[in-house]
Amino acid sequence: MKIGITCYPTYGGSGVVATELGKALAKRGHQIHFISYAMPMRLNNFDANIFYHEVEMASYPLFEFPLYTPALASKMVEVCRFEHLDILHAHYAIPHATSAYLAKQVLGDSHLRIVTTLHGTDITLVGLEPSFLPVMKFSIEQSDGVTAVSRFLKEKTITNYNIKKSIDVIPNFVDTKVFKRRETSNLRNAIAPAGEKILIHISNFRMVKRVADVIKIFKLVHDKMPAKLLLAGDGPDRSACELLVRELDLVRDVTFLGKQSELVEILSASDLFLIPSQSESFGLSALEAMACGVPVISSSVGGLPELVVHGETGYIAEIGDVERMAKYALDILGNDAKHRRFAESGRSRAVEEFDTEKIVAIYEEHYQRLL
Ligand code: GMT
């Protein structure tokens, strides 16, 4: 198949999923055309089946705001015309599904099929804004195929937007041949020279991630056992978090790593992953941690309970219940046999349920059914 993929290229899980999907489809012999305003972050190796088309943005003094939606639609039209795409796959509905709809109208092409994958905040947050809602609902309904990354997100889409169209749940995935635990004794020694336990959190430091809770959980753990905390990623809440770390006198034991591309290495050096989010439709970073044999403690929101198995691959607690999360952390970190069991279960669950090979085949079937 010839497949166009549009995503946010530089931030967030939806761009990662879209890029990894394109790479895996290319390996299976499909021709992939990424259409976006910048080169997707994880598109790092040459592949003869992968092409990248940059959306050019025209500016004009009259335009107070950049007009991305029509510019993207025009680029989609161009690529579809030249490359005869079969599928145009929009990741994150706003505004990608709208641009794809526009492109299809311009083309008047009965062959092209549009697939929209809903990722999370496009449905739970941004799409609910009155200034987006009617167009969002329309664009989703006009897609030929709609997928959501968890059962939770499918239900939310149906209730929030009263969508009648059928939605397939296709969970996120991880390449378990790449995301697997590596030998990292040098890194461990550098981070935790006295053999301290290493806790980790990876996110875009937005309000929904509740990074302050991560620090509060760590404080309670740190009071009871020698421990270090790694915070990877960056975003609007980082400054407040740096301040909190100072107020709690944790500076020596908390490291802000900033944005990182080599996550396997860092995860492999870690003992416990914390994801206490306010809202999380799937939690890709938690899946990547599980694949690297890191037990996960999460909040009970969204799609997280579809990923984390309470008492098997980690623990789940109510949003904001930092005491309980800290208790669970101490329980796992203080018991080597349990830690090993949870780490192995998490890895097995990632391999058996969420491996790239398995999930990409489901996307392939979805496309084939539409065509
Ligand atoms: O909100 C983010 O963290 C970014 C966002 C995105 O679309 O880039 O992430 C969402 O999509 C990811 C990939 O499907 C999911 O793993 C995240 O759970 C989801 N984020 C939220 O629902 C908050």
Side-chain angles (χ1 to χ4, degrees):
M1 287 176 266
K2 289 187 165 196
I3 302 159
I5 293 182
T6 284
C7 63
Y8 283 106
T10 49
Y11 299 105
S14 60
V16 171
V17 171
T19 313
E20 295 297 345
L21 175 62
K23 282 158 65 176
L25 287 165
K27 269 204 201 124
R28 293 163 93 98
H30 303 291
Q31 197 181 87
I32 306 300
H33 295 265
F34 283 96
I35 308 169
S36 191
Y37 61 83
M39 179 91 129
M41 209 169 41
R42 285 204 190 172
L43 203 57
N44 29 27
N45 290 325
F46 176 78
D47 185 314
N49 279 339
I50 296 183
F51 302 85
Y52 164 59
H53 308 264
E54 193 155 297
V55 178
E56 286 125 41
M57 289 297 300
S59 66
Y60 190 68
L62 269 183
F63 302 158
E64 174 119 10
F65 306 103
L67 298 176
Y68 187 60
T69 307
L72 173 61
S74 297
K75 184 54 82 176
M76 285 169 163
V77 169
E78 184 189 302
V79 177
C80 289
R81 270 194 188 134
F82 290 159
E83 304 294 346
H84 306 288
L85 299 186
D86 304 299
I87 298 283
L88 197 46
H89 192 161
H91 286 264
Y92 203 92
I94 304 177
H96 304 144
T98 308
S99 296
Y101 167 77
L102 260 176
K104 188 166 173 174
Q105 295 309 302
V106 174
L107 288 160
D109 183 343
S110 59
H111 173 76
L112 180 72
R113 294 287 177 266
I114 293 172
V115 178
T116 297
T117 290
L118 311 171
H119 279 273
T121 46
D122 46 353
I123 292 300
T124 54
L125 206 68
V126 194
L128 294 171
E129 295 278 339
S131 48
F132 295 134
L133 199 141
V135 174
M136 260 292 277
K137 178 171 155 60
F138 177 82
S139 307
I140 294 170
E141 273 169 343
Q142 293 299 316
S143 299
D144 299 294
V146 182
T147 79
V149 297
S150 60
R151 292 194 297 278
F152 156 82
L153 193 60
K154 172 179 173 167
E155 292 311 317
K156 266 276 171 255
T157 310
I158 294 168
T159 46
N160 284 356
Y161 301 85
N162 190 23
I163 299 265
K164 299 280 182 291
K165 203 170 183 70
S166 97
I167 300 175
D168 283 10
V169 174
I170 307 184
N172 286 338
F173 54 89
V174 64
D175 185 343
T176 57
K177 288 189 202 76
V178 175
F179 278 80
K180 63 176 180 200
R181 206 160 182 91
R182 288 186 199 155
E183 208 288 306
T184 54
S185 45
N186 285 347
L187 184 58
R188 269 201 82 102
N189 285 340
I191 301 164
E196 297 94 333
K197 298 292 181 191
I198 302 175
L199 291 82
I200 183 163
H201 169 78
I202 303 173
S203 78
N204 48 22
F205 283 62
R206 283 189 287 144
M207 226 162 80
V208 285
K209 302 293 176 183
R210 296 184 72 100
V211 188
D213 280 7
V214 172
I215 296 164
K216 290 176 195 162
I217 297 163
F218 177 71
K219 164 79 179 139
L220 295 170
V221 172
H222 186 264
D223 286 346
K224 293 271 163 50
M225 63 164 60
K228 299 279 183 183
L229 174 64
L230 300 177
L231 293 166
D234 212 329
D237 281 2
R238 175 161 168 187
S239 302
C241 289
E242 298 238 18
L243 198 65
L244 181 62
V245 166
R246 274 168 181 70
E247 280 166 9
L248 296 177
D249 194 21
L250 292 170
V251 177
R252 261 166 291 119
D253 294 315
V254 177
T255 307
F256 286 85
L257 297 169
K259 283 184 187 158
Q260 293 288 327
S261 51
E262 219 353 283
L263 294 174
V264 180
E265 193 85 22
I266 301 165
L267 285 168
S268 297
S270 304
D271 299 305
L272 188 65
F273 188 87
L274 301 175
I275 178 164
S277 308
Q278 181 87 31
S279 162
E280 201 68 70
S281 66
F282 183 87
L284 182 65
S285 56
L287 173 60
E288 292 180 338
M290 283 162 63
C292 291
V294 186
V296 172
I297 292 182
S298 81
S299 55
S300 56
V301 295
L304 285 169
E306 295 171 46
L307 176 64
V308 180
V309 183
H310 184 74
E312 258 179 51
T313 67
Y315 286 119
I316 298 173
E318 290 300 304
I319 301 170
D321 194 346
V322 291
E323 275 84 19
R324 184 169 290 273
M325 290 187 200
K327 206 171 122 253
Y328 285 146
L330 288 163
D331 180 57
I332 298 178
L333 295 171
N335 181 337
D336 285 348
K338 184 179 263 189
H339 184 275
R340 202 171 322 113
R341 214 170 52 243
F342 277 35
E344 281 165 11
S345 301
R347 167 76 191 167
S348 304
R349 186 161 166 73
V351 172
E352 283 156 27
E353 303 295 330
F354 300 102
D355 185 63
T356 303
E357 290 295 316
K358 177 177 172 162
I359 306 301
V360 170
I362 303 175
Y363 273 113
E364 241 176 353
E365 280 164 29
H366 185 86
Y367 297 155
Q368 265 148 6
R369 206 167 350 111
L370 295 179
L371 289 169

